[in-house]
Amino acid sequence: MTPMLSVLSVDDHPIYSQGLALALNAMKDSLVRSQHGPLRFEYADSLQAASARLQRQPGFNLLLLDMVLPDGNGHELLAHLQRHQPDLPVVILSANDSPSDVTMAISAGANGFISKSAPLAEVDQALCDVLSNKIVTPSNYSRATGVEATVQLDEAIPSLTPRQIEVLGLLARGLPNKRIASILQCQEDTVKSHLKALFSKLEAHNRTECVRRGFQLGLLGHNDS
């Protein structure tokens, strides 16, 4: 039997959170269900309730987080999870998908950002992508405006070669080294060399962190994910 995918939805609007759960579970040809298993949703309507639930049940596979909650900002929970449960994928579901909000959320450690106005099929695809180790942004997200809106970067944008930028874009799509090598028509060892250089220049320790830094610095946009 396929194991259930455990999802914690943190939102103080139960009509949206429970409605989304019902819609995803009823959706025909759901990508997230077909590729990652049946969904089991649980709910929390505040930061305090979410923290308590995560402490009692640390085994969630995915967390859906609204940024505006009655007892605080979702960034607080996101920062806590980065310290204590960094492997738990977090997707922001927000009514406000301005470029600055998207960039700040991804830079803070979110694995994806979905507008609450997005069609169900787009949400389904985005959740599937996040669970496949991709970083997801809204279709209207522009890396240029996102970076302009959050010009709080203390460091200069690193200089990458055109080939390194290509590799970074393919990395953002969640592709393995072998597939990247095939697309770029080069040896897999060459891809590994480019990744080593990217990790160094972007001060990243793994592939996900490398992609996140790419978004943060404006080197990646929606078309790269």
Side-chain angles (χ1 to χ4, degrees), residues 96-112:
N96 186 355
D97 61 352
S98 69
S100 60
D101 286 334
V102 177
T103 301
M104 288 176 64
I106 298 298
S107 299
N111 300 79

Side-chain angles (χ1 to χ4, degrees), residues 88 93 156 168 217:
L88 174 62
L93 283 166
L168 182 60
L217 295 172

Side-chain angles (χ1 to χ4, degrees), residues 3-8 38 40-42 50-63 81 84-85 87-89 131:
M4 299 285 285
L5 191 73
S6 183
V7 182
L8 177 61
R40 178 174 60 83
F41 278 82
E42 298 190 36
S51 298
R53 181 63 63 86
L54 287 165
Q55 190 170 11
R56 291 197 308 269
Q57 299 171 243
F60 285 101
N61 304 111
L62 179 66
L63 188 141
L81 291 171
H84 300 287
Q85 290 181 253
D87 294 331
L88 174 62
L131 290 168

Side-chain angles (χ1 to χ4, degrees), residues 32-146:
V32 67
R33 293 204 330 269
S34 64
Q35 294 187 27
H36 298 283
L39 305 174
R40 178 174 60 83
F41 278 82
E42 298 190 36
Y43 308 95
D45 60 4
S46 67
L47 292 177
Q48 184 176 3
S51 298
R53 181 63 63 86
L54 287 165
Q55 190 170 11
R56 291 197 308 269
Q57 299 171 243
F60 285 101
N61 304 111
L62 179 66
L63 188 141
L64 307 182
L65 176 63
D66 189 2
M67 296 308 286
V68 181
L69 294 161
D71 55 347
N73 190 293
H75 280 291
E76 298 173 38
L77 181 58
L78 189 56
H80 174 82
L81 291 171
Q82 283 296 293
R83 293 192 300 271
H84 300 287
Q85 290 181 253
D87 294 331
L88 174 62
V90 178
V91 175
I92 306 302
L93 283 166
S94 176
N96 186 355
D97 61 352
S98 69
S100 60
D101 286 334
V102 177
T103 301
M104 288 176 64
I106 298 298
S107 299
N111 300 79
F113 193 111
I114 305 171
S115 170
K116 284 189 172 182
S117 63
L120 180 61
E122 187 175 318
V123 175
D124 179 65
Q125 176 71 68
L127 297 183
C128 184
D129 286 345
V130 165
L131 290 168
S132 299
N133 299 316
K134 297 180 183 180
I135 289 182
V136 173
T137 56
S139 56
N140 64 346
Y141 177 66
S142 164
R143 66 185 179 189
T145 53

